[in-house]
Amino acid sequence: KRMMATHNALESAITTGGFDEALIRTRAAEVAAVEADETVLRARIYAEVLQILTSDQQAKLKTMQAEMQQRKGQRGQRH
């Protein structure tokens, strides 16, 4: 919700008549702060989940992540 609200506020600052650099910078900083908070939360959850996985599960997770990265790279090469 916060992310959508901050993105909407930024979009509004950009598209609603006139150019107000200070407002756009403020809204962009708000978006960045929310993105940073979400990134930290995602990392914290990942670390907590990793701690409860067995060694085999951790290895499987790393394999799955590597496969996803490889597919992601292949998709990028097709464009």
Side-chain angles (χ1 to χ4, degrees), residues 57-71:
Q57 289 170 325
Q58 288 177 9
K60 177 71 174 173
L61 175 61
K62 294 293 182 188
T63 299
M64 290 171 60
Q65 289 171 326
E67 290 169 355
M68 286 175 39
Q69 284 295 94
Q70 185 178 13
R71 284 193 302 269

Side-chain angles (χ1 to χ4, degrees), residues 18-33:
F19 173 75
D20 184 342
E21 183 175 347
L23 178 61
I24 293 169
R25 286 184 180 277
T26 297
R27 296 297 181 247
E30 291 167 353
V31 169

Side-chain angles (χ1 to χ4, degrees), residues 43-57:
R44 179 177 293 129
I45 291 168
Y46 180 85
E48 290 174 3
V49 168
L50 201 60
Q51 289 178 9
I52 62 173
L53 297 179
T54 65
S55 299
D56 289 342
Q57 289 170 325

